[in-house]
């Protein structure tokens, strides 16, 4: 008996010793174990580097609490678990979940305050076994660090997607959304963007929403090329202080001196986002008595430079059967006038299937009178980000554009081997100067014929970044079409383009993370509600009852002898 007690005591002491040793070792070695198949809670190295930048208390308030629909409960749980992972690596990160609708007396004031901060709710219809009700959810968070505040969108909106599909897409982008917000709050030096002016580019009010969004992460400044005529060297030196140049829908010719400045800016490592229309035509010019306008080529004097870099934007227009809706008046004028939606083939809704982080998981992107892009072989890596549908083709210019095209009847035979036309291309590599072995427009001591490694994105449509204006002249959300009421993913696409061009940390690559998020199929649940209820509730109780009866019987039988 004593031997048995000694063995038990030794085993107990050994277990205690092992626990003490394990705790001592854990103080020197930190590791989190992620047992999920898709490693959804394993933070990328980029996120870990960003977490290390948090030196002072950083608080995050998440406005998803209380009675939530099942899908948003899942989004809430995934958000909490991911934030716990961030917190585990840095104790300066704090978070809490808040229900803005909890107190009826203050709920309206809370809603107004959230609206004022730009946190718009999602109104959804909750279907519970055929009974429908309305619910308001704020899928947002606010992060505060060193008196600086930033909004974090937790729900990724995709036009035409169900709530379940939106939640799945949102969970896949949670780490990126949170890491991006933390990076914006903690980064010591913001990079700079030059918005090129002087050649008839889009005015600020026409792309106000894009600029406002960019100001959250970068310093933005207008850069006019007019001074090139008097002092081209200083103009080039000034431009080289910027990390990215955005050229948004120029309408006037570039001089050779201006081209040399842009060329050498790229050769010295600068990055560029080209939004170029090679055809002159505007949607507003169609709203006249004839309902027609003339589309004609626009000469920007950029073709030779683009050719040297490895691409060409053609002076044509893409006609795509996968167009976006346009409202036109039908019936007799006056009280009998009615408005009807038609398919506008010159404003294609473009989707992508590639897995590049710039376009992965994006919804439809709206173009207006887009041109085609040809890529040329020159050693530069090229990735086609966006292209038209297989039922599309090029129309040469000049050509008359008429609203009557909405009544045109077509068939797949009209688009044999004509579709899938490149509309947006990413180029990466060491570009060669267009002035290599050529006479320079102005003398330059540090002229470079071969550039450092750089990258640029070319989009054959300047209107992709253009926001519409409401009746009061205020800009509406980028990608929102007031005529149809549809919201397209233009904003996310443009933000991803800029972030990718500016990103030196690999942050944008977090968007490529694939997660397997299984959710219940509500339709199947409702069809087999009683069966599922019996299996999930009744079966465990039955098994427990059988075990209890069997255990009691065996115990009585054993001790009754």
């Amino acid at each position: 008996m004593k031997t048995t007690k000694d063995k038990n005591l030794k085993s107990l002491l050994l277990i205690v010793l092992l626990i003490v040793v394990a705790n001592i070792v854990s103080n020197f070695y930190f590791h989190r174990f992620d047992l999920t198949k898709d490693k959804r809670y394993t933070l990328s190295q980029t996120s870990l580097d960003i977490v290390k930048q948090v030196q002072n208390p950083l608080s995050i308030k998440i406005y998803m609490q209380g009675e939530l629909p099942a899908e948003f409960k899942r989004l809430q749980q995934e958000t909490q678990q991911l934030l716990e992972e961030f917190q585990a690596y840095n104790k300066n990160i704090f978070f809490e979940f808040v229900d803005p609708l909890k107190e009826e007396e203050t709920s309206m004031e809370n809603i107004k305050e959230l609206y004022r901060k730009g946190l718009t709710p999602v109104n959804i219809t909750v279907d519970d076994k055929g009974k429908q009700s309305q619910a308001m959810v704020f899928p947002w968070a606010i992060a505060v660090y060193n008196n600086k505040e930033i909004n974090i969108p937790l729900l990724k909106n995709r036009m035409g997607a169900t709530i379940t599909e939106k939640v799945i897409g949102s969970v896949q982008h949670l780490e990126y959304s949170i890491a991006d917000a933390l990076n914006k709050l903690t980064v010591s030096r913001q990079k700079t963007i030059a918005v090129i002016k002087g050649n008839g580019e889009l005015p600020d009010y026409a792309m106000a929403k894009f600029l406002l969004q960019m100001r959250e992460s970068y310093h933005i400044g207008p850069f006019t090329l007019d001074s090139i005529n008097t002092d081209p060297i200083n103009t080039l030196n000034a431009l080289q202080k910027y990390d990215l140049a955005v050229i948004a829908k120029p309408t006037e010719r570039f001089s050779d001196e201006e081209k040399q400045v842009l060329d050498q800016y790229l050769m010295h490592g600068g990055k560029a986002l080209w939004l170029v229309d090679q055809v002159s035509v505007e949607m507003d010019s169609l709203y006249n008595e004839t309902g027609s306008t003339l589309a004609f080529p626009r000469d920007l004097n950029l073709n030779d430079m683009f050719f040297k870099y490895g691409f060409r934007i053609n002076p044509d227009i893409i006609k795509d059967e996968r167009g976006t809706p346009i409202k036109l008046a039908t019936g007799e004028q006056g009280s009998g006038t009615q408005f009807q939606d038609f398919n506008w083939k010159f404003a294609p809704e473009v989707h992508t299937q590639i897995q590049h982080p710039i376009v992965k998981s994006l919804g439809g992107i709206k173009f207006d009178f887009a041109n085609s892009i040809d890529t040329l072989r020159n050693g530069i890596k090229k990735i086609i980000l966006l292209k038209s549908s297989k039922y599309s083709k090029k129309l040469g210019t000049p050509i008359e554009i008429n609203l009557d095209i909405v009544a045109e009847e077509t068939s797949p035979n009209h688009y044999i081997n004509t579709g899938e036309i490149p509309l947006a291309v990413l180029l990466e590599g060491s570009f060669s100067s267009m002035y290599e072995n050529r006479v320079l427009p102005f003398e330059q001591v540090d002229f470079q014929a071969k550039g450092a490694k750089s990258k640029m994105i070319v989009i054959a449509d300047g209107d992709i970044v253009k926001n519409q204006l409401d009746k009061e002249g205020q800009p509406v959300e980028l990608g929102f079409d007031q005529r149809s009421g549809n919201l397209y993913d233009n904003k996310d696409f443009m933000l991803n383009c800029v972030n990718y061009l500016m990103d030196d940390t690999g942050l944008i690559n977090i968007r490529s993370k694939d997660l397997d998020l299984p959710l219940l199929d509500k339709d199947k649940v409702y069809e087999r509600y009683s069966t599922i209820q019996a299996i999930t509730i009744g079966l465990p109780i039955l098994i427990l009852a059988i075990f209890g009866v069997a255990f009691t019987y065996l115990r009585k039988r054993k001790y009754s002898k």
Side-chain angles (χ1 to χ4, degrees):
M1 189 74 176
K2 186 177 180 182
T3 305
T4 302
K5 287 184 178 180
D6 291 341
K7 287 182 178 180
N8 292 338
L9 183 61
K10 288 180 180 179
S11 299
L12 178 62
L13 292 174
L14 181 61
I15 292 171
V16 171
L17 180 63
L18 289 173
I19 293 173
V20 171
V21 171
N23 276 276
I24 294 173
V25 172
S26 66
N27 288 328
F28 295 95
Y29 178 73
F30 174 80
H31 184 73
R32 302 272 292 180
F33 293 94
D34 186 354
L35 303 181
T36 58
K37 181 180 178 181
D38 51 17
K39 301 299 179 184
R40 75 183 62 172
Y41 306 119
T42 300
L43 298 182
S44 65
Q45 187 58 48
T46 300
S47 295
L48 294 176
D49 293 339
I50 292 172
V51 167
K52 292 177 184 178
Q53 298 173 182
V54 181
Q55 302 297 324
N56 300 316
L58 186 151
S59 64
I60 303 174
K61 191 174 289 186
I62 306 99
Y63 293 94
M64 282 197 302
Q65 186 68 298
E67 295 296 326
L68 298 172
E71 295 89 350
F72 285 93
K73 272 286 187 185
R74 186 62 183 270
L75 181 59
Q76 178 201 52
Q77 293 169 1
E78 295 290 338
T79 303
Q80 179 176 345
Q81 289 168 341
L82 191 60
L83 285 172
E84 287 173 351
E85 196 69 19
F86 276 88
Q87 190 180 56
Y89 287 94
N90 193 324
K91 298 303 180 184
N92 285 324
I93 298 176
F94 305 91
F95 67 91
E96 63 173 326
F97 284 81
V98 177
D99 183 4
L101 308 177
K102 184 177 181 180
E103 303 293 339
E104 292 186 9
E105 299 81 7
T106 59
S107 61
M108 286 306 299
E109 290 299 321
N110 292 339
I111 292 173
K112 289 179 182 177
E113 179 64 16
L114 294 176
Y115 263 104
R116 188 185 65 80
K117 292 184 176 183
L119 278 61
T120 54
V122 176
N123 295 304
I124 62 173
T125 301
V126 181
D127 193 343
D128 184 10
K129 293 184 289 183
K131 296 180 181 179
Q132 292 187 342
S133 60
Q134 296 294 319
M136 179 185 290
V137 182
F138 284 88
W140 291 87
I142 294 180
V144 180
Y145 181 74
N146 289 345
N147 297 321
K148 187 178 177 182
E149 187 176 287
I150 191 169
N151 297 340
I152 307 176
L154 302 177
L155 182 68
K156 179 173 173 54
N157 189 22
R158 285 178 55 193
M159 189 179 66
T162 64
I163 290 296
T164 301
E165 291 170 341
K166 289 179 181 179
V167 168
I168 292 175
S170 301
V171 171
Q172 289 188 342
H173 290 86
L174 268 181
E175 183 183 347
Y176 173 75
S177 298
I178 296 171
D180 183 45
L182 266 58
N183 189 53
K184 291 175 182 176
L185 287 172
T186 58
V187 67
S188 57
R189 173 192 173 269
Q190 284 188 317
K191 294 185 178 182
T192 54
I193 299 176
V195 181
I196 303 299
K197 302 288 185 182
N199 293 84
E201 288 84 1
L202 286 175
D204 288 347
Y205 70 81
M207 51 178 182
K209 287 297 182 178
F210 171 72
L211 297 177
L212 288 172
Q213 191 72 41
M214 289 299 96
R215 283 198 178 100
E216 291 185 2
S217 308
Y218 310 107
H219 288 301
I220 297 180
F223 192 93
T224 306
L225 297 176
D226 294 346
S227 58
I228 288 177
N229 297 327
T230 56
D231 197 347
I233 295 298
N234 280 338
T235 303
L236 174 58
N237 292 337
L239 183 58
Q240 287 176 355
K241 296 177 181 179
Y242 290 87
D243 299 289
L244 172 68
V246 176
I247 305 94
K249 197 177 180 179
T251 57
E252 300 173 6
R253 282 175 58 90
F254 285 79
S255 68
D256 290 338
E257 289 79 10
E258 290 171 336
K259 288 161 64 177
Q260 181 177 340
V261 167
L262 293 175
D263 175 86
Q264 288 301 293
Y265 166 74
L266 294 168
M267 295 305 108
H268 284 80
K271 302 175 181 69
L273 176 58
W274 298 94
L275 304 143
V276 177
D277 282 346
Q278 289 283 45
V279 174
S280 178
V281 59
E282 298 295 335
M283 193 66 198
D284 293 340
S285 62
L286 283 166
Y287 295 105
N288 54 47
E289 293 181 358
T290 63
S292 63
T293 188
L294 181 67
F296 55 90
R298 175 181 282 144
D299 182 16
L300 297 173
N301 194 30
L302 293 173
N303 292 341
D304 52 350
M305 185 162 69
F306 290 166
F307 188 87
K308 187 70 174 181
Y309 297 157
F311 68 93
R312 176 173 53 228
I313 303 178
N314 300 304
D316 51 29
I317 294 179
I318 303 301
K319 175 187 170 187
D320 196 330
E321 290 295 325
R322 189 170 189 172
T324 53
I326 181 175
K327 284 188 181 295
L328 296 177
T330 59
E332 298 179 0
Q333 292 186 353
S335 59
T337 302
Q338 296 179 343
F339 287 89
Q340 183 178 344
D341 283 341
F342 293 93
N343 182 30
W344 184 238
K345 302 175 185 179
F346 293 114
E349 179 183 342
V350 179
H351 294 258
T352 182
Q353 301 298 325
I354 70 170
Q355 297 300 303
H356 194 278
I358 293 178
V359 292
K360 184 179 179 180
S361 300
L362 288 183
I365 300 166
K366 184 176 182 291
F367 282 72
D368 277 302
F369 298 112
N371 314 137
S372 65
I373 301 177
D374 292 335
T375 56
L376 313 169
R377 293 185 179 179
N378 65 341
I380 297 294
K381 180 182 177 182
K382 304 173 186 71
I383 299 175
I384 297 174
L385 300 175
L386 296 173
K387 55 186 176 181
S388 62
S389 75
K390 63 179 181 179
Y391 300 115
S392 62
K393 63 181 178 181
K394 310 172 189 177
L395 298 181
T397 57
I399 188 175
E400 181 186 42
I401 304 296
N402 198 303
L403 290 174
D404 291 339
I405 195 175
V406 297
E408 178 189 50
E409 294 184 3
T410 57
S411 72
N413 293 332
H414 294 129
Y415 300 99
I416 298 176
N417 299 324
T418 63
E420 298 187 336
I421 304 162
L423 304 177
V425 180
L426 166 68
L427 298 94
E428 298 177 288
S430 299
F431 298 92
S432 296
S433 171
M434 69 160 291
Y435 290 102
E436 184 180 19
N437 301 322
R438 292 177 58 181
V439 177
L440 298 178
F442 62 84
E443 291 296 326
Q444 181 185 345
V445 176
D446 60 345
F447 172 80
Q448 285 189 210
K450 189 73 173 179
K453 282 191 175 182
S454 184
K455 47 191 173 182
M456 66 174 72
I457 293 176
V458 182
I459 305 172
D461 179 23
D463 294 315
I464 195 172
V465 76
K466 187 177 179 181
N467 54 250
Q468 297 179 4
L469 303 177
D470 61 20
K471 295 179 180 179
E472 298 178 355
Q474 297 300 312
V476 300
E477 189 66 55
L478 176 59
F480 181 67
D481 180 21
Q482 297 180 97
R483 297 185 181 96
S484 64
N486 291 336
L487 178 63
Y488 301 93
D489 265 1
N490 292 45
K491 182 181 77 170
D492 285 349
F493 173 64
M494 293 308 304
L495 295 182
N496 292 345
C497 285
V498 172
N499 289 340
Y500 184 85
L501 291 173
M502 299 285 273
D503 185 34
D504 293 328
T505 64
L507 180 63
I508 190 71
N509 291 320
I510 300 176
R511 295 188 73 254
S512 298
K513 195 172 185 178
D514 286 314
L515 301 181
D516 182 18
L517 188 68
L519 294 174
L520 288 177
D521 188 326
K522 285 187 175 181
D523 293 334
K524 290 183 179 179
V525 171
Y526 294 156
E527 288 175 6
R528 309 170 187 171
Y529 190 80
S530 299
T531 305
I532 293 174
Q533 196 174 43
I535 293 173
T536 56
I537 299 176
L539 185 60
I541 295 175
L542 179 62
I543 293 173
L544 185 62
I546 293 172
F547 174 79
V549 171
F551 180 79
T552 304
Y553 171 76
L554 292 174
R555 185 177 177 84
K556 284 183 178 180
R557 185 177 177 183
K558 178 179 180 181
Y559 290 102
S560 63
K561 294 180 179 180

